[in-house]
Amino acid sequence: MSEPILEISNLRRLFDVSKPWLERVITREPRQLLTAVDEVSFSINKGETFALVGESGSGKSTVAKMVVGLLQPSGGTVRFAGVPEGERPRPGMVQMIFQDPYASLNPRWRVADIIAEPMIVTGARADAASRANRVAELLTLVGLSPRDGDKYPHQFSGGQRQRIAIARALSSEPEFIVCDEPTSALDVSVQAQILNLMRELQERLGLTTLFISHNLAVVRHMAHRIGVMYLGRLVEVQESDALFLAPKHPYTRLLIDAVPNLAEIGRDRVPVQGEVPSPINPPAGCTFHPRCPVAMPICSRERPVFREDAACHALTPQASAAE
């Protein structure tokens, strides 16, 4: 197995959602902190795609933004291989592909300028001629024409704009790419094309990827390993095939059970009950216990620790026997 290129340890992120100071003084209300990410730890090996999945509000995108440096952690560490602790990776080593390809592209710039910008910022290509040649190569690599470099983003379809975003991410020759739901804003007919392109580029260029998605069908197609998040916490991490064949955490089982499957038409399915609790005031113990079909009294008292690739009291024989 290759060495980890990224190691995340006890990562936390809090957001202050309090009312303005004067209003709090008048009403005598305390500060309110929203826990978006709570003690998340995992590593990603070189050449691997590691996916984070979960319902909206589980903290997936917040983790992604802390990895690329758009947000600073409230606690814990994000460390890349070969980078001293406390320092950021070299410029251009880490890039991000965003969810909305139109919002992430400057509408006033030509495509060639958009793709060349990371090379200018990082100094990857010193002269204009070299950058122009590289832009043409990248456009061809993602299935577009070098002549498309003279156009503006609004002249392309959603799938083509995401190809431009991929080309921009590759222009600084990164080692690590974060994909934050890169196909969720696209038509279903285009999603498969973009996903296949990303897999092909990863194999050809030896890229390492953190893939964020709420779509388990997409994740199964893309990821080598999958981490499941719930209310800011990591509840299960397994190899992709193992997770779908034998999920261990009750939340993971319910998520997989909700995925449409033509081979299982007519089978009774158990939907995820209830709503996601408020991250401002999360439940004590296991945060999933108010919605869990196998919850025990200990689940509301003690926070489970990772054991056998998942954090669940039901996987601990001593806890089950005691209850």
Side-chain angles (χ1 to χ4, degrees):
M1 181 180 293
S2 60
E3 293 294 321
I5 191 173
L6 171 69
E7 292 183 286
I8 289 177
S9 179
N10 297 321
L11 196 64
R12 302 188 77 230
R13 175 66 196 196
L14 305 178
F15 291 99
D16 191 339
V17 293
S18 307
K19 294 179 181 179
W21 175 79
L22 183 58
E23 186 175 347
R24 284 191 285 115
V25 171
I26 295 173
T27 59
R28 297 183 180 180
E29 294 183 10
R31 291 177 61 197
Q32 285 191 320
L33 297 177
L34 184 152
T35 305
V37 176
D38 193 7
E39 296 185 9
V40 168
S41 299
F42 61 86
S43 63
I44 304 178
N45 296 321
K46 187 173 179 59
E48 177 184 42
T49 293
F50 183 91
L52 285 178
V53 300
E55 295 172 284
S56 296
S58 61
K60 311 181 300 296
S61 294
T62 304
V63 171
K65 291 174 182 177
M66 285 191 283
V67 168
V68 299
L70 293 177
L71 286 175
Q72 292 300 313
S74 302
T77 58
V78 177
R79 187 172 183 181
F80 288 90
V83 179
E85 188 171 353
E87 295 185 16
R88 295 298 305 168
R90 67 165 176 83
M93 176 184 174
V94 182
Q95 289 287 4
M96 190 167 184
I97 300 172
F98 294 91
Q99 178 175 349
D100 187 345
Y102 191 72
S104 64
L105 300 177
N106 191 329
R108 296 179 177 84
W109 284 20
R110 296 183 187 273
V111 167
D113 297 326
I114 291 172
I115 297 175
E117 184 186 20
M119 291 185 270
I120 297 172
V121 172
T122 62
R125 303 275 170 160
D127 60 285
S130 176
R131 290 195 296 270
N133 290 335
R134 180 58 176 164
V135 168
E137 292 174 4
L138 289 169
L139 285 170
T140 303
L141 187 65
V142 299
L144 297 174
S145 168
R147 294 189 299 273
D148 290 329
D150 294 328
K151 300 177 182 178
Y152 292 90
H154 73 270
Q155 295 177 271
F156 296 89
S157 66
Q160 290 173 325
R161 286 197 288 265
Q162 196 62 294
R163 290 174 185 267
I164 294 168
I166 293 171
R168 177 182 61 183
L170 296 175
S171 69
S172 64
E173 300 180 1
E175 299 176 34
F176 190 93
I177 291 183
V178 176
C179 304
D180 187 7
E181 305 207 32
T183 61
S184 62
L186 305 178
D187 293 338
V188 174
S189 59
V190 180
Q191 289 185 13
Q193 300 174 21
I194 298 300
L195 293 173
N196 289 332
L197 171 65
M198 293 174 66
R199 287 196 64 174
E200 178 186 342
L201 292 175
Q202 181 182 23
E203 294 173 2
R204 184 187 302 186
L205 303 176
L207 299 172
T208 306
T209 306
L210 172 60
F211 194 92
I212 309 297
S213 181
H214 64 274
N215 189 328
L216 285 173
V218 167
V219 166
R220 189 172 192 176
H221 177 71
M222 295 294 295
H224 299 95
R225 287 190 302 137
I226 300 173
V228 182
M229 291 190 68
Y230 181 77
L231 209 64
R233 298 180 182 177
L234 202 59
V235 299
E236 183 168 356
V237 177
Q238 281 208 75
E239 299 286 336
S240 180
D241 290 339
L243 183 130
F244 279 91
L245 292 174
K248 296 181 178 180
H249 197 280
Y251 178 60
T252 308
R253 291 197 292 269
L254 292 172
L255 286 180
I256 293 175
D257 199 48
V259 177
N261 190 334
L262 293 176
E264 298 180 352
I265 291 179
R267 180 176 69 84
D268 291 335
R269 295 175 179 270
V270 181
V272 182
Q273 302 294 327
E275 298 182 356
V276 179
S278 169
I280 298 176
N281 186 26
C286 174
T287 53
F288 185 60
H289 84 262
R291 308 172 69 191
C292 182
V294 297
M296 302 175 289
I298 192 175
C299 299
S300 62
R301 300 194 306 265
E302 298 181 16
R303 180 172 179 172
V305 296
F306 250 86
R307 185 177 284 104
E308 299 180 10
D309 303 320
C312 180
H313 288 298
L315 298 176
T316 307
Q318 296 86 347
S320 302
E323 297 297 333

